[in-house]
Each structure stands twice: as C-alpha cells, then as structure tokens.
Amino acid sequence: MARDTQGNDLDSVEVVLGGGIRFAPYDEANVITPEMIAATKTPEEVADALPEIFKSQESGVGLITSDGGPQDARDADDATEFYQSGYSLNADPSLTTAFTIAENNALTRRMTIGEPDEYGVYHVSDILQNDKWIAYQEESIRGAGGKVRVRRRAGVIQLTGNEPNQSERGVVKGSAWTATWQADSLFDPNAKYLESYYEPASATVAVTGVTVTPDTTSVKNGSSVTLTATVAPGNASDKTVTWSADDSGAKVTLAPSGTTCKVTGKADSGTVNVTCTTKDGSKTDKTVITLQAAS
C-alpha cells in the first residue's frame, strides 16, 4: 500500500519471520569471510559457501523459544568529554546478543557445562565456559511490499551469560544466553562482527554464460528443429536472449520463443551457424546446422 495522509505505510513495517544461530569451534578453518555472506548472494548461495561445519547439525543450538528471540544490546562507559564544548569520544562498546534456547543437546551442554568424562558424566564447576566460538546468525524479515530480506551476521563470540528459566510443569524450559561479540583477527580486529543484508529487490545476479543444445544438428529442407538455450547461472536476474543466423535468412528461418528457437530449413545443402546472445553481458553460443534435401 502507499503511504496514507499521515505518512504511514504498513508495508514498510518489518515483521520478523524467524531465524537461527549456529556455532563452530574457534578455528581458522571455520572462518566466515565477507565474500561468503555478500549482500548479493542468495540464501542458497550462502548455504553452499559457508564452511562445512555450519552445514551440519552439530553447529546448531536448535530451537529458540518464541518469546526469546535475539535481542541486541550495547553497553559502554560514559563518553570522554573535552574542555571545548561539543567534542566527545565514545567509549569502546560491548555488543551483545541475548536469546533463549529451548533445546538441551550436546552443543548447548559443551558451551555451558563443558565436556563429559568417559562415563558421560559432567563435572560441573560453572555453567559458563571461557571458550571462544565462531558464530553465524540469520534473521528473515518481511518488509515493504511483502518482500523477505535476510540479515546475516558472523563473528567471534564468547558466552557471557546463562540464566536457566525456572522449571514449570507443561512449559518449555529455556535457558537465556548472552553472547558477547569479540573483535578478533580471524575476522576483523577493528570490528565486533560482520553483517550484511540480502535485499531481493536489489540483488542482481549477472549472467556468466549461455549454452545452446544441441551444439550440432541437421535439418531437411522444409523441416524444423528446436534449439534450447540455458543461461548461467540458474538464478540469473535477466535471462533474455536473442537469436540470429549467419545466412541472412537464405537457408533457414528462425522462430524464437524466449530461450528456445525453432529453425526451419530452406535449402538442400550447406551449413548455417545459429547464434544465441544474452541481453545481459552479451554472452554467446552457437549451433552448427547442416542442411539436407527433403526426402
């Protein structure tokens, strides 16, 4: 909808659809680079690009309670003021994300009470461990026009808060965690975390090539054959193509229909190159057609 007379637009309201957070051991092999979570990458492309451990169940803390979704916060000392009025330096902030996990699994126990002994028994001295972890967080948000965008965040965290909820009969027993983001040389020593936004409306995927099949074929005078163009990548934003023949219509006629083209023979011999060209990037491929006399 358009903005009303008071300047309000319900389509511009952000509605959270859900998300999740995953953790991997602090190791260079598990680092998530800016390229992996580039704003132009689709959710499918990001899923393929992430380190292998983030594709496995062992990196997930599981379900999050409906009322315990991620809550970002900033905490810092007072800004440094100067003798001259109007000048100040903000103190180095502590950035945190708090959420309430609903599951009790091997990973959540490892992050809170540590590792079990050979009998599967935990010797608990604290419900917080000092380990650093590499984290990847996603949140899907429905915004203007019903389009869904994805917020991505990656970095190093340390669990600095763990408050188990009171046990109640028939109620999910969650545990409220606070994860503090750490500036780290594995990512960026000057940043607390990396963040990107996938915007479907503005995410343009460029064409990288086109393939025409079959690459060689024959057609009899008066008969037809259909060629098919496959534009790469499969999620390219603009798959528009044009078709042309190098005989100026003397030996074949073309009947294009998007990424297919019907070619009808008009001669008893010779060859013709039929070329497909993409609108985006002017990528080309061709089929060599051999002309034959009608039976």
Side-chain angles (χ1 to χ4, degrees), residues 3-50:
R3 293 193 179 276
D4 60 21
T5 56
Q6 299 180 59
N8 301 315
D9 181 4
L10 289 176
D11 281 344
S12 295
V13 174
E14 291 193 332
V15 179
V16 176
L17 302 179
I21 187 166
R22 289 181 171 272
F23 299 97
Y26 181 82
D27 188 284
E28 190 171 357
N30 300 328
V31 170
I32 299 171
T33 66
E35 181 183 6
M36 292 177 183
I37 59 170
T40 56
K41 284 187 180 293
T42 65
E44 294 77 16
E45 289 173 324
V46 169
D48 288 339
L50 289 175

Coordinates of all heavy atoms in Angstrom, one line a residue, residues 3-50:
R3 N 1.7 5.3 1.2 CA 1.6 6.0 2.5 C 0.3 6.7 2.6 O -0.2 7.3 1.6 CB 2.8 7.0 2.6 CG 4.1 6.3 2.8 CD 5.2 7.2 3.2 NE 6.5 6.5 3.3 CZ 6.8 5.8 4.4 NH1 6.0 5.8 5.5 NH2 8.0 5.2 4.5
D4 N -0.3 6.7 3.7 CA -1.6 7.4 3.9 C -1.3 8.9 4.2 O -0.2 9.4 4.1 CB -2.4 6.8 5.1 CG -1.6 6.8 6.4 OD1 -0.7 7.7 6.6 OD2 -2.0 6.0 7.3
T5 N -2.4 9.6 4.5 CA -2.3 11.0 4.6 C -1.4 11.4 5.8 O -1.0 12.6 5.9 CB -3.7 11.6 4.8 OG1 -4.4 11.0 5.9 CG2 -4.5 11.4 3.5
Q6 N -1.2 10.5 6.7 CA -0.4 10.8 7.9 C 1.1 10.4 7.7 O 1.9 10.4 8.6 CB -1.0 10.1 9.1 CG -2.4 10.6 9.5 CD -2.9 9.9 10.7 OE1 -2.3 10.0 11.8 NE2 -4.0 9.2 10.6
G7 N 1.4 9.9 6.5 CA 2.7 9.5 6.2 C 3.1 8.1 6.6 O 4.3 7.7 6.6
N8 N 2.1 7.3 7.0 CA 2.4 5.9 7.4 C 2.2 4.9 6.3 O 1.3 5.0 5.5 CB 1.5 5.6 8.6 CG 1.7 6.6 9.8 OD1 2.8 6.9 10.1 ND2 0.5 7.0 10.3
D9 N 3.0 3.8 6.3 CA 2.9 2.8 5.3 C 3.1 1.4 6.0 O 4.2 1.1 6.4 CB 4.0 3.0 4.2 CG 3.9 2.0 3.2 OD1 3.0 1.1 3.2 OD2 4.8 2.0 2.3
L10 N 2.1 0.6 6.1 CA 2.2 -0.7 6.8 C 3.1 -1.6 6.0 O 3.7 -2.5 6.7 CB 0.8 -1.3 6.9 CG -0.2 -0.6 7.9 CD1 -1.5 -1.3 7.8 CD2 0.4 -0.7 9.3
D11 N 3.3 -1.4 4.7 CA 4.2 -2.3 4.0 C 5.7 -2.0 4.4 O 6.5 -2.9 4.1 CB 4.1 -2.1 2.5 CG 2.9 -2.8 1.9 OD1 2.4 -3.7 2.6 OD2 2.5 -2.5 0.8
S12 N 5.9 -0.9 5.0 CA 7.3 -0.6 5.4 C 7.7 -1.1 6.8 O 8.8 -1.0 7.3 CB 7.5 0.9 5.4 OG 7.4 1.4 4.1
V13 N 6.7 -1.7 7.5 CA 6.9 -2.3 8.8 C 7.6 -3.6 8.7 O 7.3 -4.4 7.8 CB 5.6 -2.5 9.6 CG1 5.8 -3.2 10.9 CG2 4.9 -1.2 9.8
E14 N 8.7 -3.8 9.5 CA 9.4 -5.0 9.5 C 8.8 -6.1 10.4 O 8.7 -5.8 11.6 CB 10.9 -4.8 9.8 CG 11.7 -4.0 8.8 CD 13.2 -4.0 9.1 OE1 13.6 -4.2 10.2 OE2 13.9 -3.9 8.1
V15 N 8.5 -7.2 9.8 CA 7.9 -8.3 10.6 C 8.9 -9.5 10.6 O 9.2 -10.0 9.5 CB 6.5 -8.7 10.0 CG1 6.0 -9.9 10.8 CG2 5.6 -7.6 10.0
V16 N 9.3 -9.8 11.8 CA 10.3 -10.9 11.9 C 9.6 -12.3 11.6 O 8.6 -12.6 12.2 CB 11.0 -10.9 13.3 CG1 11.9 -12.1 13.4 CG2 11.7 -9.7 13.5
L17 N 10.2 -13.0 10.7 CA 9.6 -14.3 10.3 C 10.3 -15.5 11.1 O 9.8 -16.6 11.2 CB 9.7 -14.6 8.8 CG 9.0 -13.5 8.0 CD1 9.2 -13.8 6.5 CD2 7.5 -13.4 8.3
G18 N 11.6 -15.2 11.5 CA 12.3 -16.3 12.2 C 13.8 -16.2 11.9 O 14.2 -15.3 11.2
G19 N 14.5 -17.2 12.4 CA 15.9 -17.2 12.1 C 16.6 -18.3 12.9 O 16.0 -19.2 13.5
G20 N 17.9 -18.1 13.1 CA 18.6 -19.1 13.9 C 20.1 -18.7 14.1 O 20.5 -17.7 13.4
I21 N 20.8 -19.4 14.9 CA 22.2 -19.1 15.2 C 22.9 -20.4 15.3 O 22.4 -21.3 15.9 CB 22.4 -18.2 16.4 CG1 23.8 -17.7 16.6 CG2 21.8 -18.8 17.7 CD1 24.0 -16.6 17.6
R22 N 24.1 -20.4 14.7 CA 25.0 -21.6 14.8 C 26.4 -21.3 15.3 O 26.8 -20.1 15.1 CB 25.1 -22.2 13.4 CG 23.8 -22.9 12.9 CD 23.9 -23.6 11.6 NE 22.7 -24.3 11.3 CZ 22.5 -25.6 11.6 NH1 23.5 -26.3 12.2 NH2 21.4 -26.2 11.3
F23 N 27.0 -22.2 15.9 CA 28.3 -22.0 16.5 C 29.3 -23.1 16.0 O 28.9 -24.3 15.8 CB 28.3 -22.1 18.0 CG 27.4 -21.0 18.6 CD1 26.1 -21.3 18.9 CD2 27.9 -19.7 18.8 CE1 25.3 -20.3 19.5 CE2 27.1 -18.7 19.3 CZ 25.8 -19.0 19.6
A24 N 30.5 -22.7 15.8 CA 31.6 -23.7 15.4 C 32.8 -23.4 16.3 O 33.0 -22.2 16.7 CB 31.9 -23.5 14.0
P25 N 33.6 -24.4 16.5 CA 34.9 -24.1 17.3 C 35.7 -23.0 16.7 O 35.7 -22.8 15.5 CB 35.6 -25.5 17.3 CG 34.5 -26.5 17.1 CD 33.5 -25.8 16.2
Y26 N 36.4 -22.3 17.6 CA 37.3 -21.2 17.2 C 38.5 -21.8 16.5 O 39.4 -22.3 17.1 CB 37.7 -20.4 18.5 CG 38.6 -19.2 18.2 CD1 38.1 -18.0 17.8 CD2 40.0 -19.4 18.3 CE1 38.9 -16.9 17.5 CE2 40.8 -18.3 18.1 CZ 40.3 -17.1 17.7 OH 41.1 -16.0 17.4
D27 N 38.4 -21.8 15.2 CA 39.4 -22.4 14.3 C 39.4 -21.7 13.0 O 38.4 -21.3 12.5 CB 39.2 -23.9 14.2 CG 40.3 -24.6 13.5 OD1 40.5 -24.4 12.2 OD2 41.1 -25.3 14.2
E28 N 40.6 -21.5 12.4 CA 40.7 -20.8 11.2 C 39.9 -21.4 10.0 O 39.4 -20.8 9.1 CB 42.2 -20.6 10.8 CG 42.5 -19.7 9.6 CD 43.9 -19.4 9.3 OE1 44.8 -19.9 10.1 OE2 44.2 -18.7 8.4
A29 N 39.8 -22.8 10.1 CA 39.0 -23.5 9.1 C 37.6 -23.1 9.1 O 36.9 -23.4 8.1 CB 39.2 -25.0 9.3
N30 N 37.1 -22.6 10.2 CA 35.7 -22.3 10.3 C 35.3 -20.8 10.1 O 34.2 -20.4 10.4 CB 35.2 -22.7 11.7 CG 35.3 -24.2 11.9 OD1 35.3 -25.0 11.0 ND2 35.6 -24.6 13.2
V31 N 36.3 -20.0 9.7 CA 36.1 -18.6 9.5 C 35.1 -18.3 8.3 O 35.2 -19.0 7.3 CB 37.4 -17.9 9.2 CG1 37.2 -16.4 8.8 CG2 38.3 -17.9 10.5
I32 N 34.2 -17.4 8.6 CA 33.3 -16.9 7.5 C 33.8 -15.6 7.0 O 33.9 -14.6 7.7 CB 31.9 -16.7 8.1 CG1 31.4 -18.1 8.7 CG2 30.9 -16.2 7.1 CD1 30.1 -18.0 9.5
T33 N 34.0 -15.5 5.7 CA 34.6 -14.3 5.1 C 33.5 -13.4 4.5 O 32.3 -13.9 4.3 CB 35.5 -14.7 3.9 OG1 34.7 -15.3 2.9 CG2 36.6 -15.7 4.3
P34 N 33.8 -12.1 4.3 CA 32.8 -11.2 3.7 C 32.2 -11.8 2.4 O 31.0 -11.6 2.1 CB 33.6 -9.9 3.5 CG 34.6 -10.0 4.6 CD 35.0 -11.4 4.7
E35 N 33.1 -12.4 1.6 CA 32.6 -12.9 0.3 C 31.5 -14.0 0.5 O 30.6 -14.1 -0.3 CB 33.8 -13.5 -0.5 CG 33.4 -14.0 -1.8 CD 34.6 -14.7 -2.6 OE1 35.7 -14.8 -1.9 OE2 34.4 -15.1 -3.7
M36 N 31.7 -14.8 1.5 CA 30.7 -15.9 1.8 C 29.3 -15.3 2.0 O 28.3 -15.9 1.7 CB 31.1 -16.7 2.9 CG 32.4 -17.6 2.7 SD 32.8 -18.5 4.2 CE 34.3 -19.3 3.6
I37 N 29.2 -14.2 2.7 CA 27.9 -13.6 3.1 C 27.6 -12.3 2.4 O 26.9 -11.4 2.9 CB 27.8 -13.4 4.6 CG1 28.9 -12.5 5.1 CG2 27.9 -14.8 5.3 CD1 28.7 -12.1 6.6
A38 N 28.2 -12.2 1.1 CA 28.0 -10.9 0.4 C 26.5 -10.6 0.2 O 25.7 -11.5 0.1 CB 28.6 -11.1 -1.0
A39 N 26.2 -9.3 0.2 CA 24.8 -8.9 0.2 C 24.1 -9.4 -1.1 O 22.8 -9.6 -1.1 CB 24.7 -7.4 0.2
T40 N 24.8 -9.6 -2.2 CA 24.2 -10.1 -3.4 C 24.0 -11.6 -3.5 O 23.3 -12.0 -4.4 CB 25.1 -9.7 -4.6 OG1 26.4 -10.2 -4.4 CG2 25.2 -8.2 -4.8
K41 N 24.5 -12.3 -2.5 CA 24.3 -13.8 -2.6 C 22.9 -14.2 -2.1 O 22.4 -13.7 -1.1 CB 25.4 -14.5 -1.7 CG 26.8 -14.5 -2.4 CD 27.7 -15.3 -1.5 CE 29.1 -15.4 -2.1 NZ 29.1 -16.2 -3.4
T42 N 22.3 -15.1 -2.8 CA 21.0 -15.6 -2.4 C 21.2 -16.5 -1.2 O 22.3 -17.0 -0.9 CB 20.4 -16.5 -3.5 OG1 21.2 -17.6 -3.8 CG2 20.2 -15.6 -4.8
P43 N 20.1 -16.8 -0.4 CA 20.3 -17.7 0.7 C 20.9 -19.1 0.3 O 21.7 -19.7 1.1 CB 18.8 -17.9 1.2 CG 18.2 -16.6 0.8 CD 18.8 -16.2 -0.5
E44 N 20.5 -19.6 -0.9 CA 21.1 -20.9 -1.3 C 22.6 -20.8 -1.6 O 23.3 -21.7 -1.2 CB 20.3 -21.3 -2.6 CG 18.9 -21.6 -2.4 CD 18.0 -20.4 -2.3 OE1 18.5 -19.3 -2.7 OE2 16.8 -20.6 -1.9
E45 N 23.0 -19.7 -2.1 CA 24.4 -19.5 -2.4 C 25.2 -19.4 -1.1 O 26.4 -19.9 -1.0 CB 24.6 -18.3 -3.3 CG 24.2 -18.4 -4.7 CD 24.2 -17.2 -5.5 OE1 24.0 -16.1 -5.0 OE2 24.5 -17.2 -6.7
V46 N 24.7 -18.7 -0.1 CA 25.4 -18.6 1.2 C 25.5 -19.9 1.8 O 26.5 -20.3 2.4 CB 24.6 -17.6 2.1 CG1 25.2 -17.6 3.5 CG2 24.8 -16.1 1.5
A47 N 24.4 -20.7 1.8 CA 24.4 -22.0 2.4 C 25.5 -22.9 1.8 O 26.2 -23.7 2.5 CB 23.0 -22.7 2.2
D48 N 25.7 -22.8 0.5 CA 26.8 -23.5 -0.2 C 28.2 -23.0 0.2 O 29.1 -23.8 0.2 CB 26.6 -23.5 -1.7 CG 25.4 -24.3 -2.2 OD1 25.0 -25.2 -1.4 OD2 24.9 -24.0 -3.3
A49 N 28.3 -21.7 0.4 CA 29.6 -21.1 0.6 C 30.1 -21.2 2.0 O 31.3 -21.2 2.2 CB 29.5 -19.6 0.2
L50 N 29.3 -21.4 3.0 CA 29.7 -21.4 4.4 C 30.6 -22.6 4.6 O 30.5 -23.6 3.9 CB 28.5 -21.5 5.3 CG 27.7 -20.3 5.5 CD1 26.4 -20.6 6.3 CD2 28.4 -19.1 6.0

